[in-house]
């Protein structure tokens, strides 16, 4: 169900600022001047350094150029390449379980941890760090599972519902009902001329894709088991999914829901923690609790264009402007995913023997929860947070990835989780 207007049963209350900022300014590194503060008290900074800081969450910004870390004492922001701490905020009131950046600007989406005395986990704060105050606040009856930001939208994920707000005035635009979603699964496109949202559907193994510019909804039955992880390409035209089994990863065309490719992470059950598509959608990286990052070569790409809601191009041109044709991306300068030596017996032997396996791998020394992304300074680099490093891969021969950099960005106790 996609509904517009004020929330019904679950409900939320919003304390808006008096005008926020033009979306065109967001994404620049300059600080922004925004509206009035909410009723929340300003945070009381903790000037005492505490080395025993628990890491509660870690996430990328929209272009994977920064890392946001939620800690038991506040939050910290890091630049990835070169790696350096940009700023930190240590608070006496407690920490944040969700820290969502908006590209590189001073606006953050924050959700407090259970022990935070000022910012409980059922509230979302839109935080202006330049002014050190909350400029918007959303209060819900249940715990917030996720927050996603775009230049023009704020998306709040609850366990059974997703709320979509306009960033300019914090007005509620849409509501989407989902299957139970304790992981807070949701992802957005980030091209300026597309707004695509992917979230769990109302059936097990289903992903719902909303093309808001086209007013099109696609329900993709991706897996037989429950969805564990998914990611969109920057333009929202490709979707990669994994189930709780964690053995197969599937890539879909979000315009027509067709499956384009299927790759195999392994034979044993695993929890897929993170997936990322490279900016040129030639590579897919995935991390799991098996302690390995897998890299897959993608053979296809969807060419198409979502349209802005106010675009002069009408529905009659939607099909022309949103082509679902496939373009092969097998380049002579890159290798292919390996297959079983018995793959020539496809259709005779079980499906396992015709699977595409990972093109390159990186083995980690500990089984922590890691998130992955692609580096911006090199087409052949993968960023891995959890082990706090960067590795490279050979785009022709594949195989074991080479660690290029290792940085310990936060001291935390052994009980800490990411």
């Amino acid at each position: 169900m996609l509904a517009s207007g004020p929330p019904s049963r679950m409900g939320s209350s919003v304390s808006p600022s008096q005008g926020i900022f033009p979306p065109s300014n967001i994404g620049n590194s300059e600080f922004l001047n925004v509206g009035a503060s909410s009723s929340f008290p300003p945070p009381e900074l903790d000037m005492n350094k505490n080395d025993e800081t628990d890491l509660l969450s870690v996430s990328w910004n929209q272009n994977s150029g920064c890392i946001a870390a939620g800690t038991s004492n506040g939050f910290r922001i890091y630049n990835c390449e070169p790696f350096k701490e940009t700023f930190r905020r240590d608070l006496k009131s407690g920490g944040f379980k969700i820290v969502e950046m908006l590209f590189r600007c001073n606006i953050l989406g924050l959700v407090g941890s259970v022990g935070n005395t000022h910012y409980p986990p059922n509230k979302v704060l839109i935080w202006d760090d330049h002014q050190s105050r909350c400029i918007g606040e959303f209060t819900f009856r249940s715990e917030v599972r996720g927050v996603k930001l775009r230049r023009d939208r704020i998306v709040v994920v609850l366990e059974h519902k997703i709320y979509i707000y306009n960033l300019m005035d914090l007005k509620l635009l849409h509501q989407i009902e989902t299957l139970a979603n304790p992981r807070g699964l949701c992802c957005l496109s980030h091209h300026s001329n597309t707004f695509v949202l992917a979230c769990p559907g109302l059936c097990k193994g289903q992903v719902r894709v909303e093309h808001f510019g086209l007013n099109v909804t696609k329900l993709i039955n991706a897996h037989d088991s429950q969805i564990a992880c998914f990611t969109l390409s920057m333009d929202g035209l490709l979707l990669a999914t994994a189930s709780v089994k964690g053995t197969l990863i599937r890539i879909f065309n979000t315009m027509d829901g067709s499956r384009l490719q299927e790759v195999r992470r392994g034979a044993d059950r695993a929890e897929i923690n993170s997936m990322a598509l490279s900016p040129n959608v030639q590579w897919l990286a995935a991390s799991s609790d098996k302690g390995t990052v897998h890299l897959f070569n993608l053979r296809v790409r969807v060419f198409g264009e979502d349209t802005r809601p106010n675009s002069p191009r009408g529905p009659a041109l939607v099909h022309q402007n949103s082509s679902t044709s496939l373009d092969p991306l097998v380049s002579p300068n890159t290798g292919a995913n390996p297959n079983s030596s018995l793959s020539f017996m496809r259709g005779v032997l079980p499906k396992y023997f015709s699977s595409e396996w990972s093109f390159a791998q990186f083995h980690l020394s500990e089984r922590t929860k890691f998130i992955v992304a692609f580096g911006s300074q090199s087409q052949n680099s993968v960023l891995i947070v959890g082990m706090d490093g960067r590795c490279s891969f050979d785009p022709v021969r594949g195989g074991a990835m080479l660690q290029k950099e290792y940085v310990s960005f936060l001291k935390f106790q052994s009980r800490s989780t990411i």
Side-chain angles (χ1 to χ4, degrees):
M1 172 184 177
L2 176 62
S4 300
S8 53
R9 288 177 301 168
M10 291 300 295
S12 69
S13 62
V14 182
S15 299
S17 61
Q18 298 174 358
I20 296 190
F21 34 75
S24 60
N25 290 343
I26 302 173
N28 300 328
S29 59
E30 303 114 11
F31 288 120
L32 306 173
N33 292 321
V34 295
S37 170
S38 79
S39 58
F40 258 77
E44 190 175 0
L45 296 180
D46 187 356
M47 305 307 293
N48 298 320
K49 292 184 178 180
N50 182 6
D51 289 335
E52 294 185 350
T53 298
D54 290 343
L55 186 60
L56 304 181
S57 68
V58 65
S59 61
W60 309 105
N61 72 338
Q62 286 77 3
N63 61 10
S64 304
C66 295
I67 302 167
T71 74
S72 56
N73 298 327
F75 62 88
R76 305 180 187 185
I77 305 297
Y78 302 86
N79 187 70
C80 290
E81 297 178 287
F83 186 87
K84 64 178 181 179
E85 181 177 306
T86 304
F87 64 90
R88 69 168 66 184
R89 300 292 177 260
D90 292 325
L91 312 178
K92 290 183 178 181
S93 60
F96 294 97
K97 70 168 190 172
I98 296 174
V99 182
E100 176 75 4
M101 297 183 67
L102 183 55
F103 290 90
R104 288 180 176 269
C105 78
N106 53 297
I107 304 301
L108 301 167
L110 303 175
V111 178
S113 61
V114 174
N116 193 317
T117 57
H118 285 168
Y119 311 106
N122 68 319
K123 293 180 183 290
V124 177
L125 310 178
I126 306 303
W127 184 260
D128 178 0
D129 197 75
H130 180 49
Q131 300 190 40
S132 294
R133 64 180 181 179
C134 176
I135 59 172
E137 165 199 328
F138 302 87
T139 304
F140 300 89
R141 297 177 186 170
S142 61
E143 183 176 348
V144 176
R145 302 294 184 175
V147 177
K148 301 295 179 182
L149 300 180
R150 276 174 50 97
R151 291 183 173 94
D152 54 355
R153 297 290 184 267
I154 301 168
V155 177
V156 180
V157 184
L158 305 184
E159 184 156 350
H160 292 276
K161 208 160 194 178
I162 293 176
Y163 294 98
I164 302 168
Y165 299 89
N166 185 26
L167 186 59
M168 289 287 289
D169 53 16
L170 305 188
K171 288 184 178 179
L172 178 65
L173 301 176
H174 305 286
Q175 304 172 60
I176 301 175
E177 294 182 0
T178 70
L179 200 63
N181 185 17
R183 301 168 186 254
L185 299 178
C186 181
C187 55
L188 312 176
S189 66
H190 294 291
H191 277 189
S192 59
N193 65 331
T194 66
F195 180 20
V196 183
L197 178 148
C199 65
L202 288 172
C203 301
K204 182 175 66 174
Q206 185 182 80
V207 178
R208 176 178 182 146
V209 179
E210 291 287 346
H211 289 266
F212 287 100
L214 298 174
N215 196 25
V216 170
T217 300
K218 275 294 172 185
L219 300 177
I220 300 175
N221 296 315
H223 300 271
D224 294 331
S225 303
Q226 186 177 349
I227 299 294
C229 187
F230 53 75
T231 189
L232 285 170
S233 57
M234 288 291 286
D235 58 11
L237 296 178
L238 281 182
L239 171 74
T241 68
S243 74
V244 292
K245 290 183 178 179
T247 54
L248 296 173
I249 298 173
R250 291 169 176 156
I251 296 90
F252 295 89
N253 175 344
T254 65
M255 292 301 302
D256 61 12
S258 61
R259 190 171 79 189
L260 307 179
Q261 191 173 351
E262 179 182 273
V263 294
R264 180 173 289 275
R265 180 213 56 82
D268 299 330
R269 190 183 185 98
E271 181 178 352
I272 303 294
N273 296 321
S274 172
M275 294 192 295
L277 290 160
S278 64
N280 64 359
V281 294
Q282 187 172 359
W283 305 101
L284 168 70
S287 65
S288 74
D289 63 352
K290 293 292 186 180
T292 304
V293 173
H294 292 270
L295 185 78
F296 302 92
N297 192 346
L298 300 186
R299 294 181 284 102
V300 290
R301 178 169 57 189
V302 181
F303 280 100
E305 182 181 6
D306 204 341
T307 55
R308 301 182 186 182
N310 298 324
S311 171
R313 290 172 290 187
L317 298 179
V318 164
H319 180 72
Q320 297 176 1
N321 293 331
S322 304
S323 170
T324 57
S325 62
L326 306 182
D327 182 53
L329 283 181
V330 180
S331 166
N333 298 322
T334 62
N337 298 324
N339 295 94
S340 166
S341 59
L342 298 176
S343 60
F344 68 93
M345 300 185 68
R346 185 190 308 267
V348 178
L349 292 176
K351 186 178 178 181
Y352 173 87
F353 292 96
S354 60
S355 297
E356 290 185 51
W357 296 79
S358 59
F359 177 77
Q361 311 80 32
F362 187 81
H363 299 282
L364 304 161
S365 58
E366 53 181 314
R367 295 186 179 183
T368 310
K369 184 177 179 181
F370 302 98
I371 62 172
V372 294
F374 286 87
S376 59
Q377 296 186 358
S378 170
Q379 294 183 356
N380 303 333
S381 67
V382 177
L383 305 178
I384 307 169
V385 174
M387 58 85 67
D388 321 323
R390 180 170 63 93
C391 58
S392 63
F393 62 93
D394 188 321
V396 177
R397 289 186 287 271
M401 289 190 270
L402 177 66
Q403 182 171 307
K404 303 293 289 185
E405 185 179 6
Y406 180 95
V407 180
S408 180
F409 71 94
L410 180 66
K411 295 180 180 179
F412 58 96
Q413 298 169 320
S414 59
R415 68 174 183 273
S416 301
T417 57
I418 298 180

